[in-house]
Amino acid sequence: MSDGLGLSWLADIAPVPVHFVHGTADAIVDVAHSRRLHTALRERGWPVTFTELDTDHAGIVKTVCDPHLNRCRPTDLDHAVRAGDHTAQLMAQAAGQRH
């Protein structure tokens, strides 16, 4: 059965915890993609959570996309620092550490 997302293979895998982090101002990968995948996994019984942060594509890891370098580079922009700090806290929690 096709689900339109190409997720039929998930039926053969035991669910594992998944946490999505996506910037709401992401112009490279629309946040709607993560929302749809989050919903699809949840509907299949996976333990899944989702955090949307007020930043762009690279801000979730304290960086900005630099088209001249064709990569991301560190930044001190407020939105990226806040988002990156939040992402780091989520990762520490997932690792079982308090932050």
Side-chain angles (χ1 to χ4, degrees):
M1 177 174 101
S2 176
D3 59 13
L5 293 174
L7 300 177
S8 58
W9 58 272
L10 288 173
D12 299 327
I13 298 175
V16 296
V18 176
H19 187 98
F20 291 95
V21 180
H22 205 120
T24 57
D26 191 334
I28 297 173
V29 178
D30 193 305
V31 69
H33 295 297
S34 288
R35 290 174 184 152
R36 285 194 301 272
L37 185 53
H38 169 258
T39 298
L41 291 174
R42 190 181 66 233
E43 288 173 350
R44 286 165 174 78
W46 283 54
V48 60
T49 53
F50 184 43
T51 301
E52 294 185 29
L53 299 173
D54 186 23
T55 191
D56 58 15
H57 183 77
I60 64 168
V61 291
K62 290 188 182 182
T63 63
V64 293
C65 291
D66 188 328
H68 300 293
L69 297 174
N70 198 29
R71 64 177 176 86
C72 295
R73 61 175 175 75
T75 186
D76 60 359
L77 292 173
D78 286 343
H79 71 87
V81 170
R82 281 191 311 272
D85 285 347
H86 194 96
T87 300
Q89 290 173 4
L90 292 169
M91 292 173 70
Q93 289 170 1
Q97 299 180 17
R98 305 224 183 251
H99 189 276

